Amino acid sequence: MLKAIKVLFWFSITACVLAIFLIIGSYLTLRPTLPEISLVDESQLQMPLKIYTEDGVLIGEFGEIKRRPLDFEEIPTNMKNAFLAAEDDQFFKHQGISYSGLTRSVIRCLGPRGCFGGGGTISMQVVRGYLLTREQTVVRKIKEIFLALELEGKVSKEEIFELYVNRNFFGNRSYGIEAAANTYFNNTISDLNLAEMATIAAMAQSPSVVNAIKAPERTKQRRNWILSRMLLLRMITKEDYMLAIEEPLAVSRDIDLYEIDGRHLAERARQDIIQRYGLAAYKNGWSVYTTLNSKFQQSARKNVLNQLAEYDKRHGWKKADNYIGLFNEEQISYLEDLNIDFISDETTYFSYYEDDASLPSRISKVFESYPYLNTHIKALVISIDNEKLYFINENLKIDNLSWSSEYEWARERISINERGPRPKSFKDFISVGDFIYLRKEEEYYSLDQIPEAESSLISIDPKSGAVKAYVGGSNFNKSNFDRVSLSYPQSGSSFKPFIYASALANEYNLSSLINDAPIVFEDKNLESVWRPENYTGKFYGPTSLRDALIRSLNIVSIKLLREIGISNAKNYIKNFGFEESRLPSDLSLALGSGNFSPIEMVRGFSVIANGGYLTDPYYIEKIVDRDGNIIYSHNDYLDQKYQKDITAFPWLDTLEMNIKKPYFLIEPQLIGERVIDERIAYLVKDALQEFMTRGTAGRKSSFLNRKDIGGKTGTTNDAISTWFSGFHDDLATTVWVGTDDFTSLGDDEYGSTIALPIWLDFMSDVLVDLDIKESKIPEGLSFARVNKKTGKIDDSVNADIYFELFLNENIKD
């Protein structure tokens, strides 16, 4: 017996020594093939291109990988515990390897199926994910052990945990827990509840199999297992556990990661940056800071959507798309009884999302075919009675909506100008199977519909050219077409200020009279005889230029252009940034028949607001790399004169020069001096400020109680396009409303009914940030007494006179 013990003792000693030599030998053998542990660094992570407002609000993210790294302190305790319970509850106690887990892995590796499964410790998973391949071999497992031990000796446990949760892939292009929270729950990690945190942890091992979107039931099962582990390890209470496992698995069907919607401008930034720097910009973790003001942008988006909705409701209810054909007769009878068990039964199968023939899959495809709005939910109507409308939402759950008189707006839209009678219940205009949108209010839903009309808004600082708000369309998900820069509708009467400015530069005065009376033109450039009319259908006789501009009289504008001369007018109007070749060469120019983008219009109005200077709108302030180094700054770009020299000498236009050029929204003109006389800019500005105090514009804008704003409406024939361009000394803004297919907005729709209200609501929000400006008359302008009947200066005592501003050289002694 004693001899056997001695043999066993020496055998053990020998085995230990051999094991030590084996470990040392293995390490020395494998060491040259092991990657440097210094490669485990967050700086090596592939990170997307991010676009921000000037004040750091995210509006865009581009790249194959979505990743938002978090520091250990930023990770909620429940999130940490969920991963520890699921993957490695002894993580903060061991030295990088778990001996019991290692034993199981060795046994599996020696088995007939090889080294399948077995995640190992969190430290081992980190080194595997960063430094090793996915091959399932004994050699790789040994490498993991060595590197895990080395990693534990070089960095803290907290840093290792950071690396793990920021590196792990969770499906749907999402790397790291913050990106996963954004993707699956449209939220940040700190705002998730316990069940949602456990759901993210559930997808860590195999997101292709356990996925909250593709396999919700399987994901829910693993989530609940993790919650049970957390309870067993006393990380949560029994009450927490019971509440969490009862929580439904409701993931976001559409991803909206941005607190403020500036995606049209973010897309423009993406295109321009990739053009300059190439595809590598998708991976380098650059942060692009635009010139957008987050408050202005949020207001612009809100008011565009609100006013489009108001306009749409004025024209009644559009017949909804119907999907009753998804259901058979038996299922329809179930729906009438609010029984959707036949739908929920199919959702219990893990593969139903992959089965295109399954009913849940077909219903989901219907929802997916409609644009996502973060202000609305999508629904299918399943039953209607006199008082309620019942529907299923995207999570295939039943909800209802009660009838109220607020839905009397939903009169049948027979045409854009004709509506049916007022409805008395949902049954009058909705059918079972209809697809509908419901607006999310604070604690309830309301029936809504998505407008077909589109809108754009561009707001710039007229002094610097910095873009402050940019809305390229009502919904980027519906259409990413940028109507600010790429749409060229007719400008209508909003173009008239430029005609009148050219008249003032050609010896006319604001008091000059033009007879507003019927006229017939036989212009060789026109296909037929032209009998223009004012939009009111009335004629007003001799009218001053000031009154004609304020009242937007077509006849006066046409006669004025004819007197100035089309060529002279075009030559002057180009000073506002418009290409002379694109200005119509007939008298229709006076009515805004030219086609210009909103960005061109706002640049033109900025000349009026800015005392005669033309600025070049730009939208990127700086670009910063992942280490905080500035790689582009608008403040550092070459001076304007040198920029013009580059155009003149193309051999100076090197790649280095190109990437330092400003990010202009439109071809820059780079003119440092005034493009029009400061005094003429002031005269037009003064008239347009008076426009905001008279007529429809005056009534609608009175609530702003500001005299330092001006602007001009515009409406094209048949109300195909409506405009309003307005300004304050520090902000010029153009709003356009129309349709992409150039159909009429309706007989009673004008710039004053759609575009102007958007601008007014926008200005109501932002004027608090804009100082009240006192009117300062430039040198060279003086007031003179004017005879109302003649429009000329008159110093006589008995004449019917008023005071008007004149260029000093036009005041004759």
Side-chain angles (χ1 to χ4, degrees), residues 569-633:
K570 289 176 62 176
N571 188 56
Y572 186 80
I573 291 170
K574 71 181 181 182
N575 292 319
F576 292 90
F578 299 103
E579 292 181 31
E580 188 173 1
S581 62
R582 289 171 50 209
L583 294 168
S585 296
D586 56 58
L587 293 174
S588 69
L589 173 65
L591 305 185
S593 63
N595 297 76
F596 299 103
S597 66
I599 188 63
E600 291 175 296
M601 293 297 291
V602 80
R603 180 172 65 176
F605 272 85
S606 72
V607 175
I608 299 170
N610 193 26
Y613 288 100
L614 184 146
T615 54
D616 295 306
Y618 74 98
Y619 71 99
I620 290 181
E621 198 63 55
K622 64 180 179 179
I623 303 174
V624 180
D625 68 17
R626 71 173 71 194
D627 297 318
N629 301 310
I630 295 177
I631 58 178
Y632 165 82
S633 173

Side-chain angles (χ1 to χ4, degrees), residues 94 121 181 196 254 274 304 338 392 449 500 569 585 587 640 739:
H94 61 59
T121 66
E196 291 167 337
D254 297 275
I274 295 305
V304 162
L338 304 182
I392 53 174
Q449 64 183 8
Y500 285 74
S585 296
L587 293 174
Q640 291 183 343
T739 61

Side-chain angles (χ1 to χ4, degrees), residues 549-802:
L549 177 56
I550 291 171
R551 297 164 76 174
S552 197
L553 300 182
N554 291 338
I555 303 299
V556 174
S557 302
I558 293 168
K559 288 183 176 180
L560 182 63
L561 177 59
R562 185 177 61 174
E563 292 180 14
I564 301 168
I566 294 172
S567 178
N568 285 338
K570 289 176 62 176
N571 188 56
Y572 186 80
I573 291 170
K574 71 181 181 182
N575 292 319
F576 292 90
F578 299 103
E579 292 181 31
E580 188 173 1
S581 62
R582 289 171 50 209
L583 294 168
S585 296
D586 56 58
L587 293 174
S588 69
L589 173 65
L591 305 185
S593 63
N595 297 76
F596 299 103
S597 66
I599 188 63
E600 291 175 296
M601 293 297 291
V602 80
R603 180 172 65 176
F605 272 85
S606 72
V607 175
I608 299 170
N610 193 26
Y613 288 100
L614 184 146
T615 54
D616 295 306
Y618 74 98
Y619 71 99
I620 290 181
E621 198 63 55
K622 64 180 179 179
I623 303 174
V624 180
D625 68 17
R626 71 173 71 194
D627 297 318
N629 301 310
I630 295 177
I631 58 178
Y632 165 82
S633 173
H634 183 78
N635 294 329
D636 295 338
Y637 79 92
L638 300 172
D639 64 79
Q640 291 183 343
K641 182 179 183 301
Y642 193 43
Q643 287 281 327
K644 293 178 72 174
D645 288 345
I646 289 177
T647 303
F649 302 100
W651 55 85
L652 295 177
D653 193 7
T654 63
L655 177 62
E656 182 67 18
M657 292 288 194
N658 183 58
I659 63 176
K660 290 184 178 180
K661 289 180 181 178
Y663 287 81
F664 293 118
L665 274 178
I666 192 171
E667 187 67 29
Q669 304 219 352
L670 303 171
I671 302 173
E673 62 275 8
R674 280 192 171 93
V675 294
I676 68 170
D677 190 321
E678 177 187 14
R679 299 171 301 168
I680 292 174
Y682 182 86
L683 291 175
V684 176
K685 176 181 177 181
D686 188 63
L688 295 181
Q689 286 178 335
E690 187 175 346
F691 174 86
M692 297 303 296
T693 67
R694 291 170 52 177
T696 301
R699 290 191 298 273
K700 291 189 173 185
S701 66
S702 60
F703 76 99
L704 294 177
N705 195 29
R706 293 286 288 259
K707 296 181 179 179
D708 56 345
I709 55 175
K712 182 70 182 73
T713 54
T715 307
T716 63
N717 290 340
D718 299 321
I720 290 173
S721 285
T722 63
W723 296 81
F724 186 81
S725 289
F727 54 84
H728 172 277
D729 283 4
D730 298 326
L731 197 70
T733 305
T734 288
V735 178
W736 168 86
V737 180
T739 61
D740 289 339
D741 59 1
F742 305 108
T743 54
S744 173
L745 292 169
D747 288 346
D748 296 323
E749 300 293 353
Y750 305 95
S752 60
T753 64
I754 316 176
L756 173 60
I758 293 174
W759 185 84
L760 290 174
D761 289 347
F762 171 67
M763 292 301 287
S764 177
D765 290 336
V766 306
L767 273 175
V768 295
D769 296 321
L770 303 176
D771 294 337
I772 295 175
K773 300 291 184 178
E774 296 296 331
S775 180
K776 295 181 180 179
I777 301 175
E779 292 185 7
L781 281 179
S782 300
F783 280 103
R785 293 160 58 95
V786 176
N787 187 310
K788 284 187 177 181
K789 292 183 179 179
T790 64
K792 297 182 179 179
I793 296 174
D794 189 340
D795 292 329
S796 62
V797 176
N798 297 322
D800 186 7
I801 63 97
Y802 69 98

Side-chain angles (χ1 to χ4, degrees), residues 113-181:
R113 294 178 59 189
C115 298
F116 69 93
T121 66
I122 286 177
S123 299
M124 292 170 69
Q125 292 185 59
V126 166
V127 296
R128 178 200 309 158
Y130 277 88
L131 307 174
L132 301 173
T133 66
R134 286 286 180 178
E135 59 178 342
Q136 301 281 359
T137 64
V138 173
V139 172
R140 196 212 66 186
K141 183 63 68 175
I142 295 173
K143 288 182 178 180
E144 278 182 29
I145 295 169
F146 289 146
L147 287 174
L149 291 170
E150 187 176 348
L151 177 64
E152 292 262 354
K154 288 194 172 185
V155 297
S156 68
K157 285 285 190 178
E158 289 77 11
E159 290 174 306
I160 295 172
F161 193 86
E162 282 178 23
L163 291 169
Y164 176 63
V165 296
N166 289 327
R167 172 65 173 80
N168 208 78
F169 178 56
F170 293 90
N172 291 289
R173 296 172 46 236
S174 300
Y175 286 75
I177 55 176
E178 181 70 1

Side-chain angles (χ1 to χ4, degrees), residues 252-453:
S252 175
R253 298 291 179 181
D254 297 275
I255 302 170
D256 179 24
L257 306 181
Y258 313 117
E259 180 182 343
I260 293 174
D261 191 342
R263 286 175 291 174
H264 282 95
L265 191 65
E267 171 60 19
R268 173 64 181 266
R270 181 195 69 82
Q271 293 178 13
D272 285 353
I273 288 169
I274 295 305
Q275 183 179 27
R276 293 194 189 191
Y277 296 98
L279 296 178
Y282 283 139
K283 305 176 181 180
N284 294 335
W286 288 354
S287 295
V288 179
Y289 290 87
T290 68
T291 58
L292 287 184
N293 178 299
S294 60
K295 176 183 176 180
F296 289 18
Q297 180 67 17
Q298 192 164 33
S299 173
R301 285 286 310 162
K302 175 190 69 177
N303 292 306
V304 162
L305 294 178
N306 287 347
Q307 287 297 333
L308 283 181
E310 288 296 318
Y311 157 77
D312 197 60
K313 287 180 172 64
R314 289 200 293 270
H315 294 273
W317 175 261
K318 302 185 294 288
K319 186 174 178 58
D321 295 332
N322 189 271
Y323 295 93
I324 194 65
L326 289 172
F327 311 101
N328 58 40
E329 291 185 7
E330 182 182 18
Q331 292 169 339
I332 292 172
S333 66
Y334 288 147
L335 293 178
E336 291 175 352
D337 295 331
L338 304 182
N339 181 348
I340 60 169
D341 289 345
F342 63 93
I343 299 176
S344 57
D345 285 347
E346 289 196 49
T347 65
T348 60
Y349 296 100
F350 296 154
S351 60
Y352 88 85
Y353 267 102
E354 300 170 3
D355 182 4
D356 291 338
S358 72
L359 183 57
S361 178
R362 286 183 287 140
I363 293 174
S364 293
K365 288 184 184 299
V366 168
F367 287 133
E368 291 167 5
S369 68
Y370 290 88
Y372 167 72
L373 290 85
N374 62 357
T375 53
H376 291 68
I377 67 166
K378 306 171 190 176
L380 278 181
V381 177
I382 61 171
S383 182
I384 311 171
D385 61 31
N386 289 330
E387 297 298 327
K388 289 185 181 292
L389 177 151
Y390 297 89
F391 58 87
I392 53 174
N393 59 29
E394 293 173 89
N395 292 318
L396 305 183
K397 303 297 182 183
I398 295 179
D399 208 336
N400 67 82
L401 189 67
S402 297
W403 170 260
S404 78
S405 58
E406 70 174 289
Y407 301 123
E408 290 182 357
W409 65 264
R411 299 162 64 179
E412 178 190 0
R413 183 181 298 184
I414 299 170
S415 72
I416 195 64
N417 295 314
E418 185 179 1
R419 293 178 295 166
R422 295 183 186 276
K424 297 179 180 179
S425 73
F426 289 122
K427 287 184 175 181
D428 289 342
F429 61 98
I430 293 181
S431 302
V432 172
D434 279 357
F435 173 87
I436 58 174
Y437 277 101
L438 300 167
R439 177 180 283 275
K440 294 183 285 189
E441 308 293 348
E442 289 184 0
E443 295 182 356
Y444 64 95
Y445 300 119
S446 62
L447 182 67
D448 204 4
Q449 64 183 8
I450 306 307
E452 293 176 349

